[in-house]
């Protein structure tokens, strides 16, 4: 079953950084891969569900004119707010299983970042969330998904299964990807047809 607020409140109650996001090269490298994989230099309005303590949030803020970052653990949100000092970032207590009204009031997004959050949802909830992403991602917008590939006993799904489900979502076209033994990263564009490459968009080919 989908992991809810009680699970994450317990996790953050035991440690301020329970996923060791701030003290290892794996995470720093993953963030670098994530940012380098974004096909656009800047984005108008982005959504980052499950921002945790705000490390990726801080990096995304430099690429986004407006960024909505969410989590369902109050302790995580408090840490993220303390870390990220940007007037362009807003924080909300919100989950991918919640109604989209709270995050979509400012309009659709041209970037949605699913970094290490998909496997907290069971398959039914992930499919519903993926549909919601398509509905709130403007045409040509980017969705990037990045997940740990090793199994975790608590999680309803593996990272590989999460990406398989996302890949089956109508309205998303996969344009890039990277994987190794530890991490899988895929970039999708909201489209029903062909998508230009970065070089094509820049007029280089």
């Amino acid at each position: 079953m989908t992991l809810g607020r009680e699970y994450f409140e317990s996790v953050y109650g035991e440690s301020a950084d329970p996923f060791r996001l701030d003290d290892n090269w794996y995470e720093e490298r993953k963030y670098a891969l994530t940012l380098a994989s974004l096909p656009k230099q800047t984005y108008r309005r982005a959504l980052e569900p499950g921002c945790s303590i705000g490390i990726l949030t801080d990096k995304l803020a430099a690429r986004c004119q407006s960024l909505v970052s969410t989590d369902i653990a109050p302790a995580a949100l408090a840490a993220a707010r303390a870390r990220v000092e940007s007037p362009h970032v807003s924080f909300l207590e919100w989950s991918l299983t919640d109604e989209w009204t709270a995050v979509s009031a400012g309009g659709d997004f041209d970037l949605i970042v699913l970094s290490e959050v998909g496997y907290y949802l069971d398959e039914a909830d992930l499919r519903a969330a993926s549909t919601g992403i398509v509905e709130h991602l403007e045409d040509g917008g980017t969705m990037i998904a990045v997940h740990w590939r090793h199994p975790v006993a608590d999680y309803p799904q593996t990272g590989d299964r999460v990406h398989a489900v996302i890949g089956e979502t109508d309205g998303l076209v996969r344009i890039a990807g990277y994987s190794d033994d530890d991490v899988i990263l895929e970039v999708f564009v909201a489209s029903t047809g062909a998508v230009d490459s970065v070089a094509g968009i820049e007029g280089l080919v």
Side-chain angles (χ1 to χ4, degrees), residues 159-174:
D160 285 355
R161 183 58 191 157
V162 166
H163 282 246
V165 170
I166 292 171
E168 295 169 359
T169 304
D170 289 339
L172 291 178
V173 177
R174 184 185 184 278

Side-chain angles (χ1 to χ4, degrees), residues 20-40:
R20 294 188 57 206
L21 303 179
D22 203 17
D23 72 348
N24 67 81
W25 170 240
Y26 167 80
E27 294 294 343
E28 187 63 30
R29 173 178 176 268
K30 182 189 71 181
Y31 296 142
L33 287 168
T34 300
L35 295 168
S37 298
L38 295 176
K40 297 181 182 179

Side-chain angles (χ1 to χ4, degrees), residues 1-3 95-98 100 118 120-132 156-157 165:
M1 294 179 63
T2 293
L3 300 179
S95 163
L96 283 164
T97 59
D98 293 338
W100 282 76
Y120 300 138
L121 309 182
D122 63 27
E123 186 164 321
D125 280 343
L126 179 61
R127 290 189 182 278
S130 297
T131 298
Q157 302 191 75
V165 170

Side-chain angles (χ1 to χ4, degrees), residues 60-142:
L60 287 170
R63 301 275 296 271
C64 303
Q65 297 172 12
S66 174
L67 173 61
V68 180
S69 295
T70 79
D71 209 286
I72 57 174
L77 283 174
R81 287 190 180 100
R83 178 183 297 272
V84 181
E85 298 181 359
S86 171
H88 307 298
V89 180
S90 58
F91 292 97
L92 292 173
E93 187 172 327
W94 183 82
S95 163
L96 283 164
T97 59
D98 293 338
E99 293 293 329
W100 282 76
T101 308
V103 294
S104 64
D108 287 343
F109 301 94
D110 61 345
L111 172 64
I112 297 179
V113 179
L114 292 190
S115 181
E116 310 280 10
V117 295
Y119 37 47
Y120 300 138
L121 309 182
D122 63 27
E123 186 164 321
D125 280 343
L126 179 61
R127 290 189 182 278
S130 297
T131 298
I133 286 169
V134 172
E135 291 172 349
H136 293 89
L137 190 61
E138 65 184 39
D139 187 46
T142 303

Side-chain angles (χ1 to χ4, degrees), residues 1-4 6-8 10-11 14 18-19 117-122 148 150-158:
M1 294 179 63
T2 293
L3 300 179
E6 291 184 1
Y7 175 85
F8 291 99
S10 174
V11 166
E14 296 175 359
F19 303 106
V117 295
Y119 37 47
Y120 300 138
L121 309 182
D122 63 27
W148 178 250
H150 300 285
V152 180
D154 288 349
Y155 298 173
Q157 302 191 75
T158 65

